[in-house]
Amino acid sequence: MRKTKSTVVALSTVAALLATGGAATAVAMTGSDASPASAGTSQDQAQNDKDKRKKAHAKAKRHHAKAKRHAKHPPKGDGAKALCKRAPKIDKKIDRVQRRLDGGLKTRGSIERLERRVENAKKANHGVIADFLGERLDDRGELKLTLKEREEGLKKVRAWCATQDFEKDKDKDKGEKNSSGESSEG
C-alpha cells in the first residue's frame, strides 16, 4: 500500500509538471526515490505558478499602461482655457515649493538643511553619502532657478488670460443652434 501511494503521488506530480511545462524537471525527478522528490516539487510547482501569475500580471499592466498613453482623438485647441483655469493652482504650488526650498534648517527639503547634511557627511568621512547629497543639492539649486523661470512665464500667462473673455465663449456655446448647426445669434 505504501509503495502504491508514493507511486501515485509521484505520477500526479509528474503530470502536473508536464502540464505546466516542467518536463525536464519531471524526467529528472522520476527515479528510485519518487516520494521525497514529489514533496519538494509541490513547493517548486507553487513557486512556478506564482512566478507565472506575476509575469502575466506585469504583462497585462504594461499593456494597459500603453493603452492609456494614447488619446482618443487629437487635440481640438491649445488648452488655453484650461490653463487659465489652472493658473492659480500652479502659482500656489510654485510658491509652496519655493517656501520649502528657502526654509531653514528645520524645514525638510530646504536647501539649507541639505547643505548641513552634506557638511555632516563630510565630517563623518562618508564620502559616498556626501557626493550623493551634493548631487541632490545641485539639483535643488537648479530647481530653484527653474521655478523662478516658470513663475515669470506664469505671470505672462495670467496677464494674457486677463485679456481674454472666456465667459462670452460659454454664452455662445449655450446659444440655440439652427438646423445647420450654427448659432442663431450671428
Side-chain angles (χ1 to χ4, degrees):
M1 180 70 179
R2 174 89 173 130
K3 190 172 185 178
T4 306
K5 187 174 182 182
S6 64
T7 305
V8 170
V9 170
L11 288 175
S12 63
T13 304
V14 170
L17 287 172
L18 287 174
T20 59
T25 308
V27 171
M29 293 196 181
T30 55
S32 61
D33 279 76
S35 59
S38 64
T41 58
S42 64
Q43 290 175 348
D44 294 339
Q45 177 66 31
Q47 184 64 34
N48 286 341
D49 289 344
K50 189 175 181 181
D51 291 342
K52 285 183 182 182
R53 283 193 305 267
K54 280 185 179 179
K55 286 180 183 178
H57 179 69
K59 184 178 179 182
K61 202 172 184 181
R62 282 192 308 268
H63 176 72
H64 185 64
K66 282 183 182 178
K68 277 188 162 181
R69 285 188 217 146
H70 300 292
K72 292 181 180 178
H73 52 78
K76 295 178 182 174
D78 62 355
K81 189 174 181 180
L83 181 58
C84 289
K85 187 176 180 181
R86 283 194 322 266
K89 278 187 178 181
I90 296 169
D91 196 31
K92 286 179 185 177
K93 185 175 182 178
I94 289 173
D95 289 341
R96 185 179 68 237
V97 173
Q98 283 179 338
R99 278 195 315 272
R100 180 177 53 88
L101 290 174
D102 293 335
L105 287 173
K106 293 185 178 182
T107 305
R108 288 185 178 176
S110 70
I111 292 176
E112 193 174 333
R113 182 182 176 101
L114 193 54
E115 287 172 345
R116 176 66 64 90
R117 289 180 64 194
V118 170
E119 290 171 14
N120 291 344
K122 286 179 181 176
K123 286 178 188 175
N125 292 325
H126 297 157
V128 176
I129 303 298
D131 292 342
F132 175 76
L133 293 175
E135 290 174 7
R136 287 178 64 188
L137 185 61
D138 294 342
D139 290 342
R140 287 204 187 147
E142 291 174 12
L143 176 62
K144 195 170 181 179
L145 296 174
T146 302
L147 288 173
K148 285 182 182 177
E149 291 172 3
R150 287 188 181 171
E151 191 174 34
E152 292 170 3
L154 190 60
K155 283 181 185 176
K156 292 177 185 175
V157 168
R158 280 192 311 232
W160 180 84
C161 289
T163 63
Q164 303 303 310
D165 192 15
F166 291 119
E167 294 302 318
K168 282 185 179 177
D169 291 342
K170 279 186 185 177
D171 293 339
K172 271 187 182 179
D173 291 342
K174 288 182 182 177
E176 291 182 29
K177 295 187 177 191
N178 61 21
S179 61
S180 65
E182 296 178 10
S183 178
S184 60
E185 294 176 14

